[in-house]
Amino acid sequence: MRIGFGEDTHRLEPGRALWLGGVHIPSERGARAHSDGDVLLHALCDALLSACALGDIGVLFPDTDARWKDLQSRVILEAVLERVARAGYRVSQLSGVVTLDRPKLSPHRATIQARLAELLSLPEERVGLTFKTSEGLAPDHVQARCMALLEAL
Ligand SMILES: Nc1ccn([C@@H]2O[C@H](COP(=O)(O)O)[C@@H](O)[C@H]2O)c(=O)n1
Ligand SMILES: C[C@@]1(CO)OP(=O)(O)OP(=O)(O)OC[C@H]1O
């Protein structure tokens, strides 16, 4: 059994789409990023890589490489899951926290949970999601933290 923790933060800016956990969230602002800026998938990927001591997504997908411009983060997750499987593990449980002042995410909880469960081939009851505001302290950023439990194949 292995455990991993990951974190990602991006600045919010107008005219960008907001993606969280592979789901498009209607919003006036989205993450400024080289990829689609899905902080929840990025934090998840880093948690999985960390659990297997395989580095981080910046090593696998450098943001200086034009090939990864506007990359959908689910492609990053697929590549990470392949590496995790090669290391002899599969995902058993995930616990994620997203900090964002606006928009409200609660109405999207079930959709994000279902999408993550699908991407990870997990039952939805093994995908826990917490949403927090920054209480106005960081209104221009979106942040995700994620813990993942892995079990041996
Ligand atoms: N973008 C967000 C942030 C939070 N929520 C929900 O609001 C509740 C209270 O959050 P606090 O940061 O004030 O503790 C909590 O139930 C969150 O699920 C949300 O829906 N969207
Ligand atoms: C995903 C990558 C690559 O497109 O770029 P960003 O979308 O900027 O995201 P970040 O969380 O900074 O992580 C690693 C990058 O290499």
Side-chain angles (χ1 to χ4, degrees):
M1 191 165 279
R2 295 282 180 96
I3 192 164
F5 177 73
E7 188 270 345
D8 193 30
T9 307
H10 283 270
R11 176 177 289 278
L12 292 167
E13 72 178 23
R16 290 276 305 182
L18 179 63
W19 287 89
L20 286 171
V23 174
H24 177 246
I25 308 293
S27 170
E28 289 168 3
R29 298 190 297 173
R32 180 167 76 193
H34 191 62
S35 68
D36 64 7
D38 189 327
V39 291
L40 185 50
L41 287 191
H42 293 181
L44 167 63
C45 287
D46 276 341
L48 299 177
L49 291 170
S50 177
C52 299
L54 289 171
D56 60 46
I57 56 172
V59 176
L60 299 183
F61 296 91
D63 62 8
T64 46
D65 190 328
R67 279 179 301 167
W68 315 133
K69 180 93 182 82
D70 298 325
L71 182 69
Q72 288 189 339
S73 296
R74 84 176 157 69
V75 175
I76 302 177
L77 178 60
E78 282 161 12
V80 167
L81 287 173
E82 260 181 48
R83 283 168 173 78
V84 166
R86 260 188 262 140
Y89 291 92
R90 67 168 164 240
V91 186
S92 170
Q93 191 186 337
L94 125 77
S95 179
V97 181
V98 179
T99 303
L100 178 70
D101 281 3
R102 284 188 307 119
K104 277 278 176 203
L105 294 174
S106 298
H108 305 287
R109 186 192 307 275
T111 310
I112 298 172
Q113 189 180 13
R115 181 66 177 140
L116 286 170
E118 181 189 17
L119 290 169
L120 296 170
S121 305
L122 276 181
E124 289 180 25
E125 67 189 23
R126 287 177 173 248
V127 178
L129 293 173
T130 301
F131 303 132
K132 300 298 291 180
T133 67
S134 78
E135 297 283 355
L137 293 171
D140 298 322
H141 93 315
V142 57
Q143 182 175 58
R145 300 184 178 99
C146 195
M147 288 193 73
L149 191 66
L150 275 56
E151 59 191 13
L153 282 169

